[in-house]
Amino acid sequence: MSAAGYLLTPVAGLGRLTLSALATLGRIAIFAAQVVTHLFRPPYYPRELGHAIMQIGWFSLPVVGLTALFTGGALALQIYAGGERFSAESVVPAIVAIGMVRELGPVLGGLMVAARVASSIAAEIGTMKVTEQIDALVTLSTNPIKYLALPRVVAATLAVPVLVAVGDAIGIMGGWLVGVNRLGFNSAAYIKNTVDFLEFWDVASGLWKGAAFGFIVAVLGCYHGMNSGRGAQGVGRATKSAVVGASVLILAANYLLTEVFFSS
Amino acid sequence: MITLKDVHKTFGTNQVLRGVDLTIASGSSMVIIGGSGTGKSVLLKCILGLVHHDRGLIELDGQDVTKGDRDAFLARFGMLFQGGALFDSLRVWENVAFRLLRGSLRRPKAEAREIAIEKLRRVGLGPQVADLFPAELSGGMQKRVGLARAIAAEPEVIFFDEPTTGLDPIMSGVINDLIREIVVEMGATAMTITHDMTSVRAIADNVAMLHGGMIRWTGPVAEMDATSDPYVQQFIHGRAEGPIESVR
């Protein structure tokens, strides 16, 4: 191979990788648009929606709650330790609250839901594809996107903001527990500082992020499940792709939404 | 009547169907035979629109299957999948009555359940299985439930994809008899894909052999044994030697 060839090979590889990633992103966007269009076209499957809300929302509460509790506590310790350097320990309640509701609540909640829900959706739908259950749905005059994807996407978009709200509250409580019991804050003062400092938009922006992350998680889970390869390996790969893809997209979307919400 | 004219389908570089011509008369039972990977399932999926053919024409009663109201078209079909393809999250009766619980054929829940239990009885299963989940059933019972689901809405056309695969010979015989009885009783048009020559003889009015992406031979089942076609002869007698290449 010539010197130019050696130089171009990695560039060509990078190009192929970029094109492939963009093509996948495009296919996911088309799939998401298809799901959304079904929102405006009956029939609907309320039983499936209810089941999905339970699976995605209710059963994710423990993992999101525990994550938020420990994160709030650790955040309080970190901010206290950092604040000590310039005698600003009193900012702990305010920074814990703002850190939880704006960033850590939605992002960690989204990532935990991605790990728990995107994987389960992709594995379930992938297995359905491999065992011809999706073909069976079609032969039974039922659109798989409407029956399988739409209820999960709607459920996740509605449930994740609720999970984020609960996670925010538990995270702040984690900070309060550490602040009062470990760092010597006065309980009433800690709570007053938290309440006084938080603004409506701090909380609302986190909830909007939660809705976006829920949408991403469910779309990625459904997309990779429906495009799963054959056999156990195909389902395994679909599950991995759903979790990795959802996690990366959540972090990217978080940056974009933060720019949109707070750049001014 | 189902008519296929010059149907082609390619996956990547693999030309699976290379011009299939076939006619299945109304009320008759056609069995498609052929080696593994010859495109039998693809052919069936092309008719149902689960896979889109690249070229050629597929008609049901003179109507192009790719045109017209898809829901109305699919409502005329029932299908038994190779592995049953029962929905794990639904109870047995909900699987059987799936089509009757939603869409254009929707019935009240109690009536749908009643019909499901009647169809289960028709395939030899008692009402006690109605509230079980598919995972609680044996392979043979799952096949029967799949069969009950296929006939639940009394379709005009029923497809059977490898109906006896994975079953013991006795259960295979039971399923073959059930298929034959139900098809005759309902007057439905049936298309079955199988490797199982016992099934062929039990189910078929007519047989078609798919090889090399085309229909190699077709005719009444009674003429199958007498045909001089070497491909058919090799296949029905399960010989390793012959024009069909086998991988050893």
Side-chain angles (χ1 to χ4, degrees):
Chain A
M1 193 187 285
S2 66
Y6 275 116
L7 281 173
L8 283 175
T9 303
V11 177
L14 190 66
R16 271 194 298 275
L17 207 69
T18 309
L19 283 175
S20 159
L22 287 174
T24 304
L25 214 57
R27 282 192 289 270
I28 292 170
I30 291 168
F31 178 78
Q34 282 176 334
V35 174
V36 171
T37 61
H38 279 284
L39 199 56
F40 306 102
R41 284 182 287 156
Y44 303 112
Y45 300 106
R47 184 181 142 166
E48 305 307 315
L49 178 63
H51 184 253
I53 286 176
M54 286 300 286
Q55 288 295 323
I56 296 168
W58 182 250
F59 293 123
S60 295
L61 264 177
V63 70
V64 170
L66 281 173
T67 307
L69 182 72
F70 292 123
T71 305
L75 196 58
L77 286 175
Q78 286 283 14
I79 293 162
Y80 187 83
E84 244 181 356
R85 293 178 196 168
F86 40 93
S87 304
E89 299 94 327
S90 61
V91 297
V92 168
I95 303 292
V96 166
I98 203 166
M100 280 309 300
V101 301
R102 278 192 181 191
E103 280 297 320
L104 293 173
V107 171
L108 289 181
L111 290 176
M112 293 314 286
V113 173
R116 191 187 163 273
V117 173
S119 57
S120 120
I121 291 176
E124 186 181 356
I125 296 181
T127 306
M128 287 184 77
K129 185 175 182 213
V130 169
T131 56
E132 294 187 303
Q133 290 179 52
I134 291 185
D135 283 346
L137 274 178
V138 176
T139 63
L140 293 164
S141 308
T142 303
N143 186 310
I145 292 181
K146 192 183 281 296
Y147 184 76
L148 295 174
L150 183 64
R152 286 165 172 82
V153 171
V154 171
T157 309
L158 294 176
V160 175
V162 178
L163 285 172
V164 167
V166 174
D168 287 351
I170 294 175
I172 291 170
M173 194 184 77
W176 170 82
L177 278 173
V178 170
V180 171
N181 297 308
R182 174 93 168 70
L183 306 174
F185 279 84
N186 174 277
S187 173
Y190 190 103
I191 293 169
K192 187 175 184 312
N193 263 354
T194 301
V195 173
D196 285 351
F197 194 77
L198 272 184
E199 290 178 4
F200 170 76
W201 185 238
D202 294 329
V203 179
S205 64
L207 300 186
W208 280 112
K209 283 182 177 181
F213 300 163
F215 181 81
I216 288 170
V217 164
V219 164
L220 268 285
C222 294
Y223 171 81
H224 285 290
M226 287 191 169
N227 290 285
S228 163
R230 288 181 181 183
Q233 199 178 30
V235 176
R237 199 173 292 136
T239 307
K240 181 188 72 186
S241 302
V243 176
V244 172
S247 303
V248 171
L249 274 183
I250 282 173
L251 294 172
N254 180 54
Y255 172 73
L256 287 175
L257 289 173
T258 306
E259 277 281 1
V260 171
F261 291 155
F262 299 108
S263 61
S264 59
Chain B
M1 185 164 76
I2 301 170
T3 314
L4 294 97
K5 291 176 191 160
D6 196 30
V7 174
H8 287 72
K9 179 65 195 175
T10 302
F11 293 101
T13 54
N14 184 16
Q15 249 191 307
V16 180
L17 304 179
R18 301 167 184 232
V20 172
D21 292 295
L22 186 67
T23 300
I24 305 168
S26 293
S28 73
S29 175
M30 168 67 82
V31 175
I32 312 281
I33 57 172
S36 300
T38 50
K40 301 187 298 296
S41 291
V42 172
L43 182 66
L44 192 148
K45 286 181 179 181
C46 282
I47 298 173
L48 282 169
L50 295 173
V51 170
H52 298 290
H53 54 287
D54 303 326
R55 191 146 59 88
L57 183 66
I58 303 176
E59 290 177 331
L60 175 66
D61 294 337
Q63 285 241 306
D64 186 343
V65 299
T66 58
K67 296 187 176 115
D69 183 351
R70 182 129 180 86
D71 278 354
F73 167 75
L74 287 169
R76 300 174 68 183
F77 284 87
M79 173 144 178
L80 171 61
F81 285 85
Q82 189 175 344
L86 301 176
F87 306 123
D88 308 322
S89 58
L90 301 181
R91 294 181 188 281
V92 163
W93 81 266
E94 291 171 317
N95 266 282
V96 175
F98 192 90
R99 203 193 272 276
L100 307 174
L101 289 168
R102 42 187 72 73
S104 57
L105 300 174
R106 190 179 184 138
R107 312 272 175 91
K109 199 173 172 182
E111 189 186 335
R113 184 183 160 90
E114 212 173 288
I115 294 172
I117 289 174
E118 166 55 24
K119 297 299 176 190
L120 286 169
R121 190 203 55 73
R122 180 67 196 86
V123 298
L125 294 172
Q128 70 279 6
V129 301
D131 290 312
L132 299 178
F133 284 97
E136 298 174 88
L137 306 178
S138 67
M141 287 166 91
Q142 288 190 13
K143 256 328 190 241
R144 288 180 193 229
V145 174
L147 185 54
R149 183 173 70 183
I151 62 170
E154 315 242 323
E156 297 165 43
V157 185
I158 313 177
F159 287 171
F160 302 97
D161 188 2
E162 308 272 7
T164 56
T165 298
L167 300 180
D168 65 65
I170 296 169
M171 185 53 69
S172 297
V174 171
I175 295 286
N176 287 336
D177 291 347
L178 268 174
I179 289 174
R180 185 71 207 172
E181 281 168 29
I182 285 167
V183 168
V184 170
E185 188 178 292
M186 290 173 61
T189 305
M191 181 171 156
T192 307
I193 285 169
T194 188
H195 299 110
D196 180 353
M197 292 313 297
T198 312
S199 290
V200 176
R201 294 176 208 286
I203 297 171
D205 292 325
N206 296 296
V207 180
M209 179 168 181
L210 189 64
H211 182 76
M214 291 189 283
I215 298 296
R216 175 79 210 174
W217 179 86
T218 185
V221 66
E223 293 174 16
M224 181 177 70
D225 289 309
T227 178
S228 58
D229 187 289
Y231 290 83
V232 177
Q233 285 302 320
Q234 184 188 354
F235 189 85
I236 65 177
H237 293 109
R239 294 186 193 121
E241 304 299 326
I244 304 172
E245 287 176 30
S246 55
V247 180
R248 286 168 190 268

